[in-house]
Amino acid sequence: MLDSMKMLRNGNDKQLAAFRAIQDLNILVELNKYSPVICGTIPLGVDTDESDIDVIMEVHDLQTFMGEISQLYDDFEGFRVKETVIRNNPVVKANFHYAEFEFELFAQSQPVKEQHAYIHLVMEYELLSKYPGIKEKIINLKQQGIKTEPAFCQVLGIEGSDPYTDLISAGQALLHYLKKDRIRQLKILNVVVATGVTPESLVPTLRSRELH
């Protein structure tokens, strides 16, 4: 599993501040039974001033969970909690402020490794690692008010009706191909970013025509 806390601990000043806030709050220990994982843009370093610290969890009894987090965090500034439905799945979202950060807790019955937030974190980390040149473009789009996943889709030329699922399907196809031949990685990503070719359509093209 991608260690987002290590990313924060070894990161820039804001990432270090986030790491300390998480440690001071003791939230990963308090909610340990729910397998909490830090996600979002701050570990990736593509955050803006409005970015929060996202904590995703696997929770099967949402009502009990709501009671637990209310007991733990309802004294914090801006605390609010709600139960809603996202992609036909019941979820609980809670928000509050601690230190200079807003925390958002996200709970659903799905294992954290299968949740979109974690899959996005891993995929975006891989893409940023393999092609760091897109980072500044992502940040610039986010500063214009574009959300993270739509920003990645725009930079990578991924088109579709839902950028959140489109990024997963297209990104997985691209990364799967990249893993087969690491020598070509930068060449392939250069083609994607320079031309705006959709990665999903690029992969079969690359399979039939070698890049040398």
Side-chain angles (χ1 to χ4, degrees), residues 78-93:
F79 177 81
R80 58 193 185 277
V81 60
K82 68 177 181 179
E83 185 174 7
T84 186
V85 176
I86 298 178
R87 303 185 190 282
N88 299 316
N89 293 317
V91 304
V92 164
K93 293 176 67 174

Side-chain angles (χ1 to χ4, degrees), residues 152-165:
F152 269 88
C153 285
Q154 183 171 327
V155 169
L156 294 173
I158 300 171
E159 299 179 354
S161 59
D162 185 344
Y164 299 91
T165 56

Side-chain angles (χ1 to χ4, degrees), residues 165-180:
T165 56
D166 294 335
L167 179 62
I168 292 175
S169 59
Q172 283 176 337
L174 176 60
L175 292 173
H176 176 73
Y177 186 80
L178 291 179
K179 288 178 181 178
K180 292 183 177 181

Side-chain angles (χ1 to χ4, degrees), residues 14-191:
K14 184 172 182 179
Q15 289 170 322
L16 283 170
F19 176 82
R20 296 189 191 102
I22 294 164
Q23 293 287 81
D24 292 345
L25 190 59
N26 205 32
I27 194 168
L28 299 182
V29 175
E30 294 281 5
L31 300 173
N32 181 63
K33 64 182 176 181
Y34 299 119
S35 304
V37 174
I38 305 299
C39 289
T41 58
I42 295 178
L44 295 170
V46 293
D47 51 283
T48 65
D49 292 341
E50 291 74 34
S51 297
D52 52 24
I53 296 175
D54 297 319
V55 187
I56 65 170
M57 288 162 280
E58 178 184 357
V59 179
H60 295 275
D61 186 342
L62 295 178
Q63 292 302 314
T64 298
F65 176 76
M66 290 176 71
E68 290 178 357
I69 59 174
S70 294
Q71 288 183 339
L72 287 168
Y73 308 116
D74 65 357
D75 288 336
F76 288 90
E77 178 187 350
F79 177 81
R80 58 193 185 277
V81 60
K82 68 177 181 179
E83 185 174 7
T84 186
V85 176
I86 298 178
R87 303 185 190 282
N88 299 316
N89 293 317
V91 304
V92 164
K93 293 176 67 174
N95 297 76
F96 60 88
H97 292 269
Y98 180 77
E100 69 254 47
F101 295 98
E102 179 175 1
F103 281 74
E104 178 168 289
L105 313 184
F106 184 89
Q108 63 176 328
S109 60
Q110 203 169 21
V112 291
K113 285 185 178 180
E114 299 175 11
Q115 294 187 29
H116 276 194
Y118 180 74
I119 296 171
H120 287 152
L121 176 73
V122 173
M123 185 169 302
E124 290 160 10
Y125 171 80
E126 292 288 340
L127 289 168
L128 289 167
S129 297
K130 290 176 173 59
Y131 197 83
I134 68 174
K135 184 175 183 177
E136 201 62 38
K137 297 178 181 180
I138 299 296
I139 294 173
N140 288 338
L141 288 173
K142 286 177 60 60
Q143 289 174 340
Q144 297 172 37
I146 298 176
K147 297 293 186 181
T148 306
E149 283 70 31
F152 269 88
C153 285
Q154 183 171 327
V155 169
L156 294 173
I158 300 171
E159 299 179 354
S161 59
D162 185 344
Y164 299 91
T165 56
D166 294 335
L167 179 62
I168 292 175
S169 59
Q172 283 176 337
L174 176 60
L175 292 173
H176 176 73
Y177 186 80
L178 291 179
K179 288 178 181 178
K180 292 183 177 181
D181 190 340
R182 294 185 178 274
I183 295 175
R184 301 184 197 147
Q185 286 175 358
L186 290 180
K187 290 183 179 179
I188 295 169
L189 281 169
N190 269 309
V191 171

